[in-house]
Amino acid sequence: ETLQEVTDAQHQWQVSQEFQVLGKALDGKLNYVGGLYYFKEAGYVHDFVPFESLLFVQDQANEVTNTDVAAFIHADYRLNDSFGFTAGGRFTSVKTDFLGGQSDLNNFPFFGPGPDNVLRYFPAIPDSQTWHIFDPTLGVQFHVNDDMMTYLSWGKGFKQGGWTTRLSSIITDPKTARFDPEYSSTYELGVKSEWFQHHLLANAAVYYTDYKGIQLNVQRGISPVYTNAGNAKIKGAELEVQYLVGGGLQLNFTGSYIDAYYTSVSATANFPQYALPDGTTVCPNGPPICGVKGPGSALDAKIPKTPKWKGTFDPEYTIRLPNEAAIRLIPAFTYTSEMFNDSLNTPVLRRPSTRSLDASIHYVAANELYDLALGGTNLTNDRYPTAGSPNYGAGEVGAYFNPPRMC
């Protein structure tokens, strides 16, 4: 047994069915699709987590069933050569059922009472939640000419709520473990274009997303708790360029910029957070959220997994052979600015700015019948954490790292 060794048993099944009606109307100016959707899944995850041979946590139930029924419609109308319009919507009815079962097998530190010294955190009471959501979308397109189109779109999104399955204290009502749905509203303005007799493709977009009740996994004590961390806004821009130079050379570039920040946070937010050498936790909200009150505000925390800048340059050079096959060289360089891997912004889990180089050489058979490739990834051997979680209650911070140079 290691310091904190985690195993689990999982099972899941699902069934889904969709019916669609597609068609054209108004002399072909209107394209539409509508339909019905049904989805049901059920399963369980039974974790077993020993803490230093003292506390043995096991989920003895943790059973969930999700049932979704939806109706949707989407329509595109081309008014004339210049203008087109899009409208659609989806109505979804969601029902989810849950039975929690997190328990301490040895009832640490009480060792009784209870059958077999088992302390159950969740009551043996099933719980259910239901939502009825309508998500609309609207858009307008302006075709400048046959090679350029600009567009403006708006849409709403929904992610269902549920229950956190890890607790640090006993609850008597399963509703205490609930988290709410996450809602989003997104605006996007963009252009898609081709230039120089289709040798250059250039697409660009800017977007704005307003999140309500953003769902995050937040470590609290020894327990990772899934919760509504707060509200957030994300502003960003994307660029895609492909240039067919000629002579077998094509230049490709994609880039993105993201400005993501919290606008409000939960009253129990314990981020950003770090630990003193003795394990005492420090965060802006202070006790009892964490051990010591630190400087700044919880709004200073960075939303995890959101680098401000990212860009990839991946040119291709193709050499045609007499047998109509080809040799293709593809290097790919990616730059990603720094980001945090967890919601607490744990310093040792911060991913610094990274620079990664991949490269491959391909033999492509005539008619692309097959493709033989030889290459390597992360040739710069840039190492960084990709995921992880702090558990100061157990005296550790665990992390996963990206693979080293591989050829």
Side-chain angles (χ1 to χ4, degrees):
E1 178 188 320
T2 60
L3 179 65
Q4 182 184 346
E5 183 176 313
V6 180
T7 60
D8 59 62
Q10 302 182 22
H11 175 74
Q12 186 262 359
W13 68 265
Q14 68 179 54
V15 60
S16 64
Q17 180 65 57
E18 182 170 308
F19 297 98
Q20 292 187 356
V21 176
L22 302 90
K24 295 178 179 289
L26 304 178
D27 298 324
K29 291 185 176 181
L30 178 67
N31 293 276
Y32 61 87
V33 58
L36 301 173
Y37 175 76
Y38 174 81
F39 172 83
K40 184 171 184 177
E41 69 170 350
Y44 61 77
V45 177
H46 293 174
D47 290 334
F48 178 64
V49 186
F51 289 92
E52 305 170 2
S53 297
L54 295 175
L55 173 65
F56 296 90
V57 177
Q58 184 176 34
D59 296 317
Q60 300 186 17
N62 248 13
E63 299 169 358
V64 66
T65 301
N66 293 311
T67 305
D68 294 13
V69 179
F72 59 91
I73 187 168
H74 185 92
D76 293 307
Y77 178 67
R78 186 69 178 264
L79 178 64
N80 51 40
D81 291 341
S82 298
F83 286 97
F85 300 90
T86 298
R90 177 187 179 100
F91 178 82
T92 306
S93 179
V94 180
K95 185 177 187 296
T96 180
D97 302 286
F98 174 74
L99 177 63
Q102 178 189 339
S103 304
D104 291 353
L105 296 187
N106 60 348
N107 201 354
F108 179 85
F110 308 104
F111 303 107
D116 302 321
N117 287 331
V118 173
L119 175 67
R120 182 166 180 144
Y121 286 76
F122 277 91
I125 303 172
D127 193 18
S128 65
Q129 300 185 67
T130 302
W131 302 277
H132 305 290
I133 301 297
F134 178 68
D135 291 324
T137 182
L138 295 171
V140 58
Q141 306 87 42
F142 176 63
H143 298 262
V144 180
N145 52 46
D146 290 341
D147 296 327
M148 180 180 293
M149 183 267 287
T150 62
Y151 64 91
L152 174 65
S153 65
W154 167 79
K156 297 182 71 173
F158 161 82
K159 182 179 178 182
Q160 76 173 64
W163 297 263
T164 187
T165 59
R166 290 287 184 87
L167 303 175
S168 297
S169 59
I170 299 172
I171 62 174
T172 58
D173 187 343
K175 294 181 176 62
T176 307
R178 289 180 175 182
F179 59 86
D180 294 326
E182 175 183 291
Y183 301 92
S184 67
S185 179
T186 299
Y187 299 83
E188 183 171 334
L189 174 66
V191 58
K192 297 181 181 292
S193 63
E194 294 186 3
W195 305 75
F196 310 126
Q197 296 180 330
H198 307 291
H199 280 69
L200 174 65
L201 178 147
N203 299 329
V206 293
Y207 61 88
Y208 167 83
T209 300
D210 188 8
Y211 278 102
K212 300 294 185 185
I214 187 168
Q215 298 173 0
L216 290 176
N217 192 359
V218 180
Q219 187 75 26
R220 292 176 180 165
I222 63 173
S223 298
V225 178
Y226 210 71
T227 186
N228 300 101
N231 301 330
K233 295 184 185 298
I234 297 179
K235 307 170 186 176
E238 297 177 342
L239 175 66
E240 176 190 13
V241 177
Q242 296 179 2
Y243 181 40
L244 186 59
V245 180
L249 178 61
Q250 178 173 313
L251 304 179
N252 307 307
F253 173 79
T254 58
S256 64
Y257 167 80
I258 299 177
D259 179 22
Y261 55 92
Y262 293 105
T263 57
S264 65
V265 296
S266 166
T268 58
N270 58 329
F271 51 75
Q273 179 178 279
Y274 64 92
L276 299 175
D278 64 357
T280 302
T281 55
V282 181
C283 71
N285 279 340
I289 308 302
C290 55
V292 176
K293 181 176 177 59
S297 164
L299 294 175
D300 297 332
K302 303 297 183 182
I303 299 176
K305 303 291 188 181
T306 52
K308 186 172 288 291
W309 296 98
K310 185 173 183 178
T312 298
F313 179 59
D314 54 337
E316 297 182 14
Y317 183 63
T318 301
I319 304 171
R320 299 294 176 182
L321 302 178
N323 64 351
E324 298 185 351
I327 300 294
R328 184 166 295 151
L329 307 174
I330 307 178
F333 175 80
T334 299
Y335 169 81
T336 306
S337 61
E338 74 166 1
M339 64 179 175
F340 286 94
N341 283 303
D342 70 322
S343 55
L344 297 187
N345 293 185
T346 304
V348 297
L349 295 179
R350 182 185 70 90
R351 172 176 163 172
S353 299
T354 60
R355 298 159 181 84
S356 178
L357 177 64
D358 302 337
S360 59
I361 180 171
H362 299 248
Y363 176 81
V364 184
N367 299 320
E368 298 187 351
L369 184 63
Y370 58 87
D371 184 330
L372 299 177
L374 177 66
T377 58
N378 192 19
L379 299 179
T380 53
N381 202 34
D382 207 3
R383 304 302 306 279
Y384 47 84
T386 58
S389 62
N391 196 331
Y392 300 121
E396 65 167 11
V397 176
Y400 301 93
F401 281 75
N402 70 310
R405 179 190 297 116
M406 301 180 68
C407 300

